[in-house]
Amino acid sequence: MPELPEVQTVLEGFIEAVGSTRITALDCYYPGTVILDPELESSVFPAQIQGHRRLGKYMTISLKGGHSLVVHLRMTGKLVYNPSPDEPLKHERARFSLENGAVVHFIDIRTFGKIILCKSSNLERYLPNLGAEPLEPCYTAAYLQKQLSSRKAPIKNALLDQSVVAGLGNIYVCELLYRAKIHPETPSNQVNLRSLQRIVKETRQVLAEAIAVGGTSVSDFRSIDDKTGSFQNFLRVYQKTECPRGHKIANVKLAGRSSFYCPVCQHP
DNA sequence: CAATGATCCTGTCCGC
DNA sequence: TGCGGACAGGATCATT
């Protein structure tokens, strides 16, 4: 599932693939995949990319001319660069056409992904409240302590809440909690400052390692050039049966998601 | 405000 | 071989 490292990989790939070529069209093949801002100007395309930014699991791409794109892959969304266009592919929900004749397919089996095209001045309307960026200085143990002090839900649920930390999903939360040696069911407001410091440190570490290898390709995640990431080879608990120290991995449902952890290494 | 559960959706896998 | 059901899960919405 695309989380921060995968979104970062896809966004960088998209920006590099499109380069300075202008986008000439955005077509939608599945109702609801492309959302158009009611205040859009009539002449959006052709438009050159001006800048880009990842916000949590959201990609934002600003276009010259005052418009912006927001892309969210949700669970199965993919951007696929194709220098020679074809008829719409299976599961192709939308498509960017480029002035040089290439296209970028938006493939999304489960159709939850979204592409929003809006006036740049309206961008914030299309983004939810996002918490701290985990790779930026604002993400600290003190910040987490403040966020979590009123919460009793398991720490794993809190870390999946995008309004607390932006960009983490099931895989990386499982992994960072293992590295931080924290049991996923620990009530959020009972995680002490020392443990929160480990959480912050391991969050940064695991995300940086994953970004460095192009993300995690479980199920069918691919970069825009159809390359697999390789962080799946470094997972320690997610979908594992044994932790690196040889203990049996447990799996409990938290917030409706499989939560892999080591009962020996991870403590409340 | 916090927490929970249903919802969206389709491919895959399991058991019978 | 085929079929029903569970499962995968990010975000949003309604409900408690």
Side-chain angles (χ1 to χ4, degrees), chain A residues 5 19 21 31 34 36 47 61 76 94 98-99 106 134 142 156 159 167 177-178 181-182 197 235 246 249 260 265 267:
Chain A
T21 303
V34 172
L36 300 177
I61 296 140
T76 55
L98 307 181
E99 200 164 34
F106 184 69
K156 169 146 189 278
L159 294 173
L177 285 175
Y178 173 76
K181 300 181 164 52
I182 313 286
Q197 284 165 351
L235 297 174
I249 294 297
F260 299 87
C265 299
H267 308 287

Side-chain angles (χ1 to χ4, degrees), chain A residues 154-156 177-178 180-187 191 198-199 250 252 254 261-268:
Chain A
I155 182 67
K156 169 146 189 278
L177 285 175
Y178 173 76
K181 300 181 164 52
I182 313 286
H183 195 291
E185 292 179 284
T186 314
V191 181
R198 292 204 305 280
I199 286 175
V252 290
L254 293 176
Y261 70 99
C262 173
V264 180
C265 299
Q266 294 172 255
H267 308 287

Side-chain angles (χ1 to χ4, degrees), chain A residues 89-94 106-110:
Chain A
L89 304 174
K90 193 169 174 69
H91 303 130
E92 180 169 14
R93 312 303 184 187
F106 184 69
I107 311 291
D108 186 15
I109 293 172
R110 272 176 270 186

Side-chain angles (χ1 to χ4, degrees), chain A residues 2-12 15 51-62 69-73 123 127 130-136 162 165-168 207-208 211:
Chain A
E3 304 177 32
L4 189 154
E6 292 76 38
V7 174
Q8 182 85 30
T9 300
V10 170
L11 177 57
E12 286 171 5
I15 295 300
H52 64 280
R53 198 173 170 203
R54 180 196 52 70
L55 296 169
K57 297 173 201 167
Y58 293 80
M59 299 177 242
T60 66
I61 296 140
S62 64
L69 291 159
V70 180
V71 181
H72 199 302
L73 303 173
L123 186 60
L127 294 169
L130 295 172
E133 278 292 331
L135 295 176
E136 285 176 17
Q162 302 298 297
V165 194
L168 300 180
L207 293 178
I211 289 171

Side-chain angles (χ1 to χ4, degrees), chain A residues 20-205:
Chain A
S20 57
T21 303
R22 294 191 296 177
I23 299 171
T24 53
L26 169 58
D27 293 305
C28 183
Y29 308 125
Y30 183 89
T33 295
V34 172
I35 295 167
L36 300 177
D37 186 353
E39 295 179 23
L40 274 187
E41 315 272 337
S42 54
S43 56
V44 178
F45 300 117
Q48 195 177 20
I49 291 176
Q50 187 170 51
H52 64 280
R53 198 173 170 203
R54 180 196 52 70
L55 296 169
K57 297 173 201 167
Y58 293 80
M59 299 177 242
T60 66
I61 296 140
S62 64
L63 305 174
K64 288 182 184 168
H67 295 96
S68 288
L69 291 159
V70 180
V71 181
H72 199 302
L73 303 173
R74 292 290 185 102
M75 280 131 57
T76 55
K78 299 196 241 187
L79 291 174
V80 180
Y81 181 75
N82 183 352
S84 49
D86 299 306
E87 291 300 299
L89 304 174
K90 193 169 174 69
H91 303 130
E92 180 169 14
R93 312 303 184 187
R95 162 185 302 201
F96 294 99
S97 299
L98 307 181
E99 200 164 34
N100 64 5
V103 302
V104 176
H105 309 282
F106 184 69
I107 311 291
D108 186 15
I109 293 172
R110 272 176 270 186
T111 72
F112 295 162
K114 301 284 177 213
I115 299 175
I116 295 155
L117 176 60
C118 67
K119 274 180 75 170
S120 295
S121 53
N122 290 342
L123 186 60
E124 290 201 3
R125 291 183 200 176
Y126 296 96
L127 294 169
N129 283 332
L130 295 172
E133 278 292 331
L135 295 176
E136 285 176 17
C138 58
Y139 179 63
T140 62
Y143 166 82
L144 278 182
Q145 190 172 49
K146 192 172 174 185
Q147 289 289 316
L148 304 183
S149 61
S150 61
R151 291 178 181 247
K152 297 176 189 169
I155 182 67
K156 169 146 189 278
N157 300 29
L159 294 173
L160 286 171
D161 186 334
Q162 302 298 297
S163 70
V164 175
V165 194
L168 300 180
N170 201 35
I171 297 174
Y172 294 107
V173 171
C174 288
E175 291 297 310
L176 78 88
L177 285 175
Y178 173 76
R179 291 173 179 226
K181 300 181 164 52
I182 313 286
H183 195 291
E185 292 179 284
T186 314
S188 298
N189 59 3
Q190 286 179 31
V191 181
N192 63 35
L193 194 59
R194 214 165 185 70
S195 298
L196 292 176
Q197 284 165 351
R198 292 204 305 280
I199 286 175
V200 168
K201 177 174 171 246
E202 300 300 344
T203 303
R204 293 214 169 98
Q205 182 69 28

Side-chain angles (χ1 to χ4, degrees), chain A residues 219-257:
Chain A
S219 71
D220 60 352
F221 170 75
R222 297 287 188 282
S223 69
I224 197 160
D225 295 319
D226 207 37
K227 296 199 173 89
T228 58
S230 61
F231 197 69
Q232 65 277 10
N233 300 323
F234 304 98
L235 297 174
R236 300 181 188 177
V237 290
Y238 183 81
Q239 290 185 342
K240 299 287 176 189
T241 53
E242 273 188 7
C243 85
R245 295 170 61 192
H247 309 125
K248 192 157 192 229
I249 294 297
N251 182 356
V252 290
K253 283 268 182 212
L254 293 176
R257 291 165 188 78

